[in-house]
Amino acid sequence: MRIIRDDLRGPEIAALLEAHLKDFEPHSPPESRHALDLEGLRHPDIHFYTAWEDGELLGCGAFKRLDATHAELKSMRTDSRHLRKGVARALLAHLIAEARAQGFNRLSLETGSVAHFAPARELYTAFGFHDCEPFANYVKDPNSVFMTLGLDA
């Protein structure tokens, strides 16, 4: 598996992100969906990465600079054909290392609170993320879980 910083130009990426956004529709009301679309992910404060193997897109993930020391994990997604192959684990490890290398000392995230998002929450917990209060512009929401990880070495 090869993980690269991506410019979000390929059609495979657009399709994966579209599937990512559609996946939330039955599980989160519109006001509780915080995923970014393709254009939103092209913001200069966002570092976007993709995982590839043999020319096939396996998954993606990003982090967004919130301030000089705090970043937010965004758009973690594994292509449905590659679930349970370690793609999300490899991407998350890469994102944590990249955020740390960029000088961030905290990485936070928002994810869903319903059962559909339980595998994601379990993955984040396995990496040391723990529940926290809403951060940045988020507010308490029964449909959201907020988690954070200290990146100090």
Side-chain angles (χ1 to χ4, degrees):
M1 178 184 323
R2 184 172 54 99
I3 299 174
I4 61 167
R5 179 121 185 231
D6 204 296
D7 65 5
L8 295 120
R9 302 269 180 236
E12 307 96 328
I13 297 161
L16 183 62
L17 290 171
E18 184 177 328
H20 183 60
L21 294 173
K22 285 186 188 254
D23 184 51
F24 298 141
E25 290 177 6
H27 306 288
S28 297
E31 66 275 9
S32 296
R33 295 182 207 149
H34 304 288
L36 298 172
D37 63 11
L38 193 60
E39 286 308 310
L41 287 166
R42 288 190 175 130
H43 192 278
D45 283 339
I46 295 181
H47 298 245
F48 185 83
Y49 297 86
T50 49
W52 299 84
E53 191 168 76
D54 299 325
E56 189 171 0
L57 177 62
L58 307 178
C60 65
F63 61 86
K64 176 183 179 182
R65 179 186 188 278
L66 298 176
D67 62 37
T69 62
H70 190 190
E72 178 184 4
L73 196 63
K74 299 296 288 181
S75 300
M76 284 286 299
R77 182 69 179 195
T78 300
D79 184 283
S80 60
R81 296 168 294 172
H82 299 286
L83 294 172
R84 289 172 284 291
K85 295 180 181 178
V87 175
R89 187 169 287 284
L91 274 165
L92 184 54
H94 187 84
L95 290 166
I96 291 168
E98 288 292 323
R100 188 176 277 129
Q102 292 291 321
F104 295 106
N105 61 29
R106 184 172 164 214
L107 187 59
S108 300
L109 65 93
E110 179 276 338
T111 191
S113 63
V114 299
H116 177 77
F117 299 100
R121 293 191 307 270
E122 290 169 11
L123 174 67
Y124 300 135
T125 299
F127 273 79
F129 284 83
H130 57 86
D131 290 352
C132 67
E133 291 297 312
F135 57 92
N137 295 324
Y138 291 107
V139 296
K140 287 194 181 228
D141 179 345
N143 297 295
S144 292
V145 171
F146 302 96
M147 302 179 84
T148 195
L149 174 69
L151 299 179
D152 295 331

